[in-house]
C-alpha cells in the first residue's frame, strides 16, 4: 500500500500553481454520474469527461480518460492497449490504494497520488482534440478546468507519461 496520504484538492491546486498551469474550479454538490454532473455543473466551458479505472487479468491498473459521451468497447480495449487479458473495473479498495480517490471522484489528477507509478494513464485521442478539458479535482464536489497541454504537463510532472490512443473509436 502507498503509505502517503492522498492529496487534498487544495494541495493539487498548489501543485498546479507550482507548475505554472492555469486552472479554474467550480464547486458543486457531489455528483456520481455523468448525468448528475450535467445538471449541476452549470455553464462550465470546455469538454467534459469520464474516467474509467480498470485492471487487466494480471492486475495491471489503467486509468482511461475520454469525453463524457464516448463509447468505449471494453471487450476489445485490452488488445488496443496491449494489456494482459480483458479489462474489468478496478475495485474501490484498489482505487483508494493506487490513486487515493473514492468511486465517483476518479480523475487524471489522481495520478499525483500514484507515487509508485503503478497506473497507466490513457487519454482518448478524440478528447485530446479539445483545447480545454474538465475533471474532478480529486473529489466529486467540484469541476476543474485545465488546458489540454496543461493536463499533459501535469501528468508528465507526476511521472505518468500519458498514452494518447483512439480508445473511443472516434478520431480527432
Amino acid at each position: 500500500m502507498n503509505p502517503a496520504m492522498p492529496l487534498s484538492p487544495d494541495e493539487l491546486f498548489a501543485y498546479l500553481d507550482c507548475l505554472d498551469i492555469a486552472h479554474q474550479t467550480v464547486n458543486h454538490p457531489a455528483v456520481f454520474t455523468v448525468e448528475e454532473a450535467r445538471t449541476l455543473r452549470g455553464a462550465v466551458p470546455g469538454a467534459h469527461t469520464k474516467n474509467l479505472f480498470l485492471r487487466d487479468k494480471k492486475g495491471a491498473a489503467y486509468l482511461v480518460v475520454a469525453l463524457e459521451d464516448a463509447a468505449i468497447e471494453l471487450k476489445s480495449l485490452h488488445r488496443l492497449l496491449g494489456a494482459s487479458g480483458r479489462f474489468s473495473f478496478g475495485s474501490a479498495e484498489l482505487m483508494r490504494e493506487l490513486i487515493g480517490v473514492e468511486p465517483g471522484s476518479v480523475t487524471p489528477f489522481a495520478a499525483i497520488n500514484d507515487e509508485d507509478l503503478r497506473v497507466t494513464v490513457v487519454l482518448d485521442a478524440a478528447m485530446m482534440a479539445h483545447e480545454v478539458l474538465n475533471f474532478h479535482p480529486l473529489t466529486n464536489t467540484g469541476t476543474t478546468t485545465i488546458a489540454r497541454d496543461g493536463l499533459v504537463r501535469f501528468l508528465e510532472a507526476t511521472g505518468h507519461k500519458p498514452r494518447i490512443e483512439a480508445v473511443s473509436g472516434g478520431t480527432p
Side-chain angles (χ1 to χ4, degrees):
M1 276 184 109
N2 187 347
M5 292 291 296
L7 296 185
S8 69
D10 286 339
E11 291 167 317
L12 167 67
F13 302 148
Y15 186 73
L16 291 170
D17 291 342
C18 285
L19 295 173
D20 201 27
I21 296 174
H23 58 93
Q24 184 171 3
T25 299
V26 173
N27 294 312
H28 50 68
V31 294
F32 295 91
T33 65
V34 167
E35 291 74 28
E36 288 177 332
R38 282 188 181 121
T39 63
L40 290 175
R41 68 181 174 229
V44 176
H48 294 273
T49 59
K50 65 180 172 184
N51 303 271
L52 306 176
F53 182 70
L54 306 171
R55 57 179 285 284
D56 69 11
K57 291 291 184 188
K58 289 191 176 180
Y62 290 77
L63 178 56
V64 177
V65 186
L67 294 171
E68 65 184 357
D69 292 327
I72 299 173
E73 181 56 57
L74 286 180
K75 290 180 182 175
S76 60
L77 184 60
H78 68 283
R79 286 190 288 276
L80 174 68
L81 299 181
S84 297
R86 285 192 179 174
F87 283 119
S88 61
F89 287 98
S91 69
E93 181 180 78
L94 184 64
M95 185 184 305
R96 285 183 205 106
E97 176 186 339
L98 297 185
I99 60 174
V101 295
E102 296 294 322
S105 297
V106 180
T107 172
F109 292 134
I112 198 168
N113 291 321
D114 179 28
E115 294 176 354
D116 296 330
L117 305 178
R118 293 178 53 195
V119 178
T120 299
V121 179
V122 179
L123 306 176
D124 186 33
M127 177 190 75
M128 294 303 286
H130 295 265
E131 288 186 28
V132 178
L133 303 168
N134 292 289
F135 307 102
H136 288 312
L138 304 176
T139 179
N140 62 355
T141 58
T143 299
T144 297
T145 303
I146 186 172
R148 166 190 62 214
D149 296 339
L151 172 66
V152 171
R153 208 157 33 102
F154 163 80
L155 290 168
E156 289 175 346
T158 68
H160 295 82
K161 181 169 175 42
R163 290 179 57 179
I164 300 174
E165 304 278 352
V167 298
S168 67
T171 55

